[in-house]
Every structure is written in structure tokens, then in C-alpha cells.
Amino acid sequence: MTELKKRILPTVQKPARYVGGEWGQICKEKEKVAVRVAFCFPDTYEIGMSNVGMRILYGLMNQIPDVWCERVFAPWGDMEEAMNANGLPLWALESQDPVKDFDMVAFTIGYEMSYSNILNMLRLSGIPLHAKERKGLHNMVFAGGVCAFNPEPLAEFVDFFSLGEGEESTVEILNLYRQAKAEGWEKERFLKEVSKIPGIYVPSFYTHTYDENGVLTAVTPEPGAPETVTKRIVENLDTAFFPTKMIVPSTEIVHDRANLEVFRGCIRGCRFCQAGFSCRPVRKKSPEVLYRQAVELMENTGFNEITLSSLSTSDYRGLKALTDDMLPYCEANHISLSVPSLRADNFSRELMEKLQAVRKSGLTFAPEAGTQRLRDVINKNLTEEEILSTCTQAFAGGWNSVKLYFMLGLPTETDEDVLGIADLVYNVILAWKEHAVNKKRGLRVHVATAYFVPKPHTPFQWEKQITPQEYLRRCKLLKEHFYSKSIEYDYHSPDLSRLEAVFARGDRRLGPVIEEAVKNGAKLDGWDEYFRYDIWQDAFAKCGVDPDFYTVRGYGEKEILPWDMIDVGVTKSFLLRERKRAYDSRVTPDCRKGCAGCGANQLLKEARCDE
């Protein structure tokens, strides 16, 4: 570490974010590696180090003998000011070398509001923002993550996107790059070859055409480029790479514990959920493999808490067998075992009492809508009876706190549906009054409402987003019908969710908007301390882009969508069918009750989803 960095670090918050040196980090000799990868997470250290996908790919890349992958995170504002004042470029943690010294610069993108951070990190690195300005193979920028399923807002800045799960494709990308570097290829040749790897999308090989109203009318691939790019999946999770030797952070992070992924995909089909559709088909790990990995994780890291994670962990059929095996080990070693992502329709009081024998924390459920009609519209497959039965079990077991999450602005929502949330909450309070065994502590019901954001590759990808003014009116209406002091009510900022919708469903014309906003100080938009809506409003105005075009306008069912050339395995015909069922208030049973024909099983060699 340079003397300059040593002088700066004591002057900023949480200097441990920037120094590296953690237990479990991987260091190699620069002279003995052929490819260096700066693996960038476009948010702060404590967010990025909690990301399981980043940990998996970090370990995977560093398993390759002549590849060295290092971590890079977005600096907090005070560090960025110090860097700018002292001419200090952004650096990687392991070697402390500047990012501009690396062969490849990889981003993982899980949240649309991190787009400004991507450009800002490139700017702080001294790397040209535009892909066309980066000549040769050096500083090859590529990206993956769930936001890559609509890559268009970042098309100007990213050389290529890796779609889907990266355990196999990342190795193929690095092998090709190693060959290209050794043989002195031109950048254009590398991009043509990398586009032949399944799951790789090179935006510069596609031309977008718009009509006089700004509607996308054609996406034309260059000769040799695929018309559609299909995401990659890992079929056998038992044999897939999973690092049980992980970095132990030297400062507190958001999820400061070991994290074990039990399965991928989701059987449910909630019509608003991008992850539920884009991560299909369902594939699981066996309890035996999970138990072995859990023990190895705890032995190698020294964490005193482990979480079993997935999109809906209580849907994992091996959960009882796994926890029955893990609990004796956890109890003997004073390790806390947690199971988030529970559903109210398969809540197990027996399991939760085992997991929380020492301390009962609050319960969290997401009914999403207040009336059964609207829950059927969104295919939540959850009844009020199941919600209240679950809460009754919990209150009878000694719980006194529950969090309930809802969305406002869902398709077909009326004021009656909004007030249905208040009715449901009062029924939860009544259940506590009738069944609680520990009333001395009182009841806390935390209610939170989010502003519905229509996402690509879902049945609601064509929907309009209600205006921010209408969203706030519905929040006010709901709040006026919360009379109990037991209720705490929070709602999301409409400005942030409006921007999220713009970027989620946007096209290439948003590139200049993002660049303009970053030039004027946009960064860390997911943090209240730094989000500046006025900067974004000015950027839209200067670039002549109307955000309403991507939000309240909605999309026609026959309209070409900016992400239509990306295939996540779920067919557009299925999504349209699900959209019609939504407007008919018809539910689609989960995958275990019968295949609905979404198409995702065609990604599997045996053409069946793993239950």
C-alpha cells in the first residue's frame, strides 16, 4: 500500500472497506498469471461482500492457475472525494493495483439503480466509458447478473454481457481471452469469437431502429451474430463449483454470516417477479451435499451463523432432512441457523421453534396484495386463511412481531384492494389478541409497501406503472386506515422506483442519460444519502428523453421489446398467456402441481424441471 493511501485511510469512514488483507482472500504472483480480472461490484464493500454470486465466481476464477481475480467495490463519497483530490485511481483490494492495469473488468449487476456506479467506477479507474473508445484487448469490460437480461441501457459502455449462470461460461470466456491475448488478436476478432459462446451477447453486433414515435421497430444482428441469445444454466448443482473457503470480511457487512444456496429457480410463478421467471428451471442440491458444504464453510470461516438461501427456501423438499442433520452440529458449535424466504402457506412452527429455541426474532411474510382477487391476479397462490393461520401459529408459539410486505400499483388494483391491506393487518392484530401466549411485550406489526415496477421477462412486462402522484395517493389512503398503535408503516420513495422502472424496461437511448447524470454527480443511487432525483430529471431533459415513455405508457403486446433478443428460457407466448390469466383473475398452480408449459425445461438435457 502506498504512503498516500495510508495517509488517506484514517480520514474516511470504514477504512477496512479499502485495504483488503482479509482471511481467505486469494493472492497470486502477477508474473505467473496470464489473465488478470478486476471483479467489480457496483456498490459498497458491505453490500458486495454479502453477494453469494460474487463469492462463487471469485473462487471459480481463482481456481484457474494462470488467472488472478481481484475484488473492486464502489467507494463511499468521502473516499471518492479524497481520491479525486489526490489523483488516486480506483484500485483492487488484493494487490492494491489500479483497475486500469487489469486485462478484464467484470461487473455483476443485480439492481438497476447501480448503473450510475458502473460508469462512476470506470471513470474513477481512468478507463474510457464507451466500449468503442477502448481499443485492443486491454480493459475488456463485460457484465452479468439479473439486470443483464435487459442489457440495452448499458449497451454503449459494456463490450459484452454474460447471460445467466456463470460457472461454466466464465471459464470459457477466460480460456478464449487467454488465447486471444497470447496470439495478439484484434478486439473485433475476440468479440466475434466470444459471441459464439452460448449465453454471450455483444451489443455492438446489433442495430436498433425506431419509428417517428420512438417505438422500437427492429433489432438487426450483424451477419454471424445470433438473432437471440439464450441464457446459460448449471444443470447439476451437486457437482457445480461452490467455494467452502470464503473470504471473512474484516469489517461488518450486511449479511455477516455464511450463506448456503439450497436450490435455484422457483416453482411459484408470481407474475411480478423477474427472478422467479428468469432463474427457471428449478434445480436443487441434495441434503447430503448441502450438509457437507455447510460444515466445511463453518470450519473454514469461523462464522457463528449460517443462512439457507434461495428464492423460496421453505419450498425445498429436503429442508427437514437438512435441518435435522445440521441442528445438532450447529448447537454443539454454538452456531445460529436461519431460514429466510419463508412462505405463509408452508410455514412450519416446529421448524421455526427448533431454529429459534434461544431467541424468537420477528417473522416476515409477503402477501403482496390485500385482497384475494388481487392475489389471484398476481398468482400469489396464497389465501388470507393461510396468512392468518400462520400468524396464529406464530403468536401461539410466543412470537410478538411480524413484518408484512405489500405492493401498490399492481395491475387492476383498486382502492378496495388498497384498503384490503388495512383489513388484513387488523385481522392479524385480532389473531394476536386471541392466540398470543405472551402479551406483556405487546405486538408490533411492521407494514411496508413498495411501488410496483414492471420487469422484463415477466407476464407484467407490458404493464403501465402508475404515476408517482397516484402511488402517493394510495399510500396516504392506506395510512389513513391504520388506527392501531401496534402498526408501523413505511413506503418506498416513488422517485427511486420510477427510475428503476425506466432502467428495467429501457433501451439504448438511456445510455446518454446515465452518462450525463454521472457527469453531474449521480452515484450510489440506492443510498438515501446520495440519491439526487433532480440530477436525473435534468439529465432526461438535456438528452430529450421522456421517462414516461418507459413507465406510464406501457408496451403493446405486439411491440418489439428492447430485450426480445434475450431468451431466458420462458417463452413469450407463455408470458402472454399468464398476462391474460391475470386479467381474468385466474391462478396458475405451482410447478409441482403440474407443468404450465413455460418452456424453461427445454434448457435441461432431460427436458424436465427438478422438483
Side-chain angles (χ1 to χ4, degrees):
M1 180 179 293
T2 65
E3 287 299 319
L4 178 59
K5 288 180 185 175
K6 289 179 181 179
R7 291 200 306 271
I8 290 174
L9 285 170
T11 69
V12 301
Q13 299 178 47
K14 300 183 180 180
R17 288 167 166 162
Y18 311 105
V19 299
E22 307 100 320
W23 176 269
Q25 77 167 19
I26 298 172
C27 290
K28 299 184 180 183
E29 296 181 47
K30 285 185 281 189
E31 299 76 15
K32 294 183 179 180
V33 297
V35 180
R36 297 187 68 189
V37 181
F39 195 4
C40 302
F41 190 90
D43 211 317
T44 60
Y45 177 93
E46 52 266 44
I47 303 295
M49 285 299 295
S50 300
N51 185 274
V52 178
M54 187 172 191
R55 288 178 175 269
I56 291 173
L57 293 179
Y58 175 85
L60 174 80
M61 285 188 267
N62 280 313
Q63 268 203 329
I64 305 172
D66 59 351
V67 172
W68 187 12
C69 172
E70 302 182 46
R71 297 161 297 142
V72 184
F73 300 99
W76 195 245
D78 56 354
M79 175 55 87
E80 182 178 329
E81 289 178 9
M83 291 165 62
N84 289 332
N86 291 276
L88 194 62
L90 188 64
W91 65 88
L93 295 190
E94 281 76 5
S95 66
Q96 297 288 304
D97 287 345
V99 173
K100 63 184 176 183
D101 290 353
F102 285 71
D103 297 301
M104 307 191 81
V105 181
F107 286 92
T108 180
I109 319 170
Y111 181 36
E112 291 86 356
M113 297 313 300
S114 67
Y115 288 177
S116 60
N117 294 340
I118 294 172
L119 270 64
N120 198 41
M121 291 174 76
L122 290 174
R123 183 187 63 81
L124 290 171
S125 301
I127 296 173
L129 295 185
H130 293 263
K132 64 184 179 182
E133 296 173 349
R134 298 189 294 268
K135 309 299 181 181
L137 296 179
H138 191 63
N139 292 160
M140 185 71 66
V141 176
F142 69 107
V146 69
C147 289
F149 290 134
N150 177 19
E152 294 312 301
L154 296 172
E156 286 188 33
F157 315 109
V158 177
D159 291 303
F160 66 91
F161 292 86
S162 177
L163 305 177
E165 297 163 4
E167 286 93 334
E168 296 171 356
S169 59
T170 301
V171 175
E172 296 166 17
I173 292 167
L174 293 174
N175 287 340
L176 182 67
Y177 186 90
R178 184 194 297 110
Q179 178 187 354
K181 184 179 177 183
E183 297 177 3
W185 292 5
E186 296 291 330
K187 180 177 181 179
E188 186 70 11
R189 180 182 175 188
F190 172 78
L191 290 177
K192 286 182 178 179
E193 293 302 316
V194 81
S195 72
K196 297 176 184 177
I197 295 176
I200 303 303
Y201 172 69
V202 180
S204 60
F205 291 172
Y206 298 80
T207 300
H208 287 222
T209 306
Y210 307 89
D211 67 14
E212 64 278 6
N213 297 315
V215 175
L216 184 63
T217 57
V219 177
T220 308
E222 287 187 4
E227 289 190 9
T228 59
V229 179
T230 303
K231 73 172 185 182
R232 296 287 290 272
I233 67 165
V234 176
E235 189 159 347
N236 189 335
L237 295 184
D238 275 351
T239 58
F241 174 81
F242 184 81
T244 55
K245 292 184 178 180
M246 290 187 176
I247 297 171
V248 180
S250 51
T251 187
E252 186 177 2
I253 62 175
V254 173
H255 300 302
D256 207 359
R257 53 185 176 265
N259 207 313
L260 191 62
E261 182 186 38
V262 296
F263 73 91
R264 294 181 184 175
C266 184
I267 65 171
R268 296 290 176 168
C270 298
R271 292 175 178 133
F272 57 84
C273 182
Q274 184 181 41
F277 287 96
S278 64
C279 294
R280 291 186 176 195
V282 173
R283 291 139 293 140
K284 69 178 185 293
K285 288 185 184 179
S286 65
E288 298 78 20
V289 169
L290 287 167
Y291 177 77
R292 173 179 58 78
Q293 292 177 345
V295 172
E296 290 179 8
L297 265 175
M298 305 315 292
E299 297 291 333
N300 290 329
T301 63
F303 279 116
N304 61 5
E305 182 179 353
I306 185 168
T307 294
L308 305 179
S309 65
S310 75
L311 290 176
S312 181
T313 305
S314 53
D315 282 329
Y316 176 56
R317 281 186 167 169
L319 185 59
K320 186 178 186 304
L322 176 60
T323 53
D324 284 348
D325 287 341
M326 288 184 63
L327 282 169
Y329 171 82
C330 291
E331 290 172 1
N333 292 277
H334 307 289
I335 294 168
S336 173
L337 175 63
S338 60
V339 182
S341 303
L342 294 174
R343 281 184 57 94
D345 58 349
N346 57 13
F347 172 84
S348 169
R349 176 176 162 185
E350 176 188 3
L351 172 61
M352 293 305 295
E353 286 180 343
K354 287 180 181 178
L355 296 177
Q356 304 195 53
V358 178
R359 178 179 63 89
K360 290 181 170 62
S361 61
L363 297 172
T364 301
F365 299 108
E368 309 294 1
T371 62
Q372 193 58 51
R373 184 201 69 81
L374 194 54
R375 284 193 293 274
D376 290 346
V377 167
I378 64 176
N379 205 46
K380 188 64 182 178
N381 275 309
L382 180 66
T383 66
E384 182 165 335
E385 181 181 357
E386 288 168 332
I387 298 168
L388 296 178
S389 173
T390 295
C391 291
T392 296
Q393 288 184 60
F395 297 149
W399 276 267
N400 288 280
S401 175
V402 62
K403 293 182 180 179
L404 300 173
Y405 289 103
F406 300 89
M407 277 189 272
L408 293 178
L410 288 162
T412 78
E413 183 180 76
T414 65
D415 284 358
E416 182 180 350
D417 297 306
V418 175
L419 297 179
I421 296 174
D423 293 339
L424 177 57
V425 171
Y426 280 116
N427 285 334
V428 169
I429 295 173
L430 182 60
W432 179 83
K433 290 179 178 179
E434 293 179 352
H435 300 283
V437 296
N438 181 13
K439 295 183 179 179
K440 291 183 180 180
R441 293 173 54 199
L443 171 68
R444 302 309 301 167
V445 182
H446 183 95
V447 180
T449 56
Y451 185 4
F452 167 66
V453 175
K455 290 292 182 87
H457 306 290
T458 71
F460 290 160
Q461 65 180 0
W462 295 275
E463 300 300 327
K464 298 178 180 180
Q465 187 184 45
I466 62 172
T467 65
Q469 295 79 12
E470 175 60 19
Y471 167 73
L472 290 173
R473 185 194 70 81
R474 297 185 194 189
C475 291
K476 183 174 181 289
L477 175 65
L478 179 58
K479 187 176 183 179
E480 289 172 346
H481 286 77
F482 284 151
Y483 304 112
S484 171
K485 293 182 179 179
S486 298
I487 302 172
E488 298 175 358
Y489 176 46
D490 294 318
Y491 53 89
H492 289 190
S493 162
D495 296 341
L496 194 69
S497 296
R498 184 187 188 219
L499 274 181
E500 183 183 343
V502 171
F503 296 140
R505 300 202 299 177
D507 52 39
R508 297 188 174 189
R509 291 170 293 186
L510 292 178
V513 176
I514 301 171
E515 185 175 356
E516 177 68 19
V518 170
K519 184 178 73 174
N520 291 301
K523 62 187 174 187
L524 298 171
D525 289 304
W527 297 83
D528 291 341
E529 297 93 324
Y530 285 98
F531 178 59
R532 290 271 309 278
Y533 191 50
D534 60 314
I535 290 178
W536 288 102
Q537 288 176 309
D538 291 344
F540 281 115
K542 183 169 183 179
C543 297
V545 175
D546 181 5
D548 286 350
F549 182 84
Y550 307 101
T551 56
V552 298
R553 178 181 75 93
Y555 289 87
E557 289 187 351
K558 295 183 179 180
E559 187 175 330
I560 296 175
L561 303 175
W563 53 90
D564 271 350
M565 67 289 175
I566 305 300
D567 180 8
V568 299
V570 177
T571 65
K572 182 180 273 193
S573 61
F574 172 77
L575 297 178
L576 286 167
R577 190 162 68 245
E578 281 295 288
R579 187 187 191 209
K580 185 178 187 307
R581 292 177 71 90
Y583 277 88
D584 292 339
S585 298
R586 295 171 60 195
V587 299
T588 298
D590 69 58
C591 299
R592 287 177 180 161
K593 295 177 182 176
C595 179
C598 74
N601 60 3
Q602 298 301 317
L603 298 174
L604 299 168
K605 293 176 183 176
E606 297 181 2
R608 60 178 295 274
C609 294
D610 190 348
E611 298 182 6

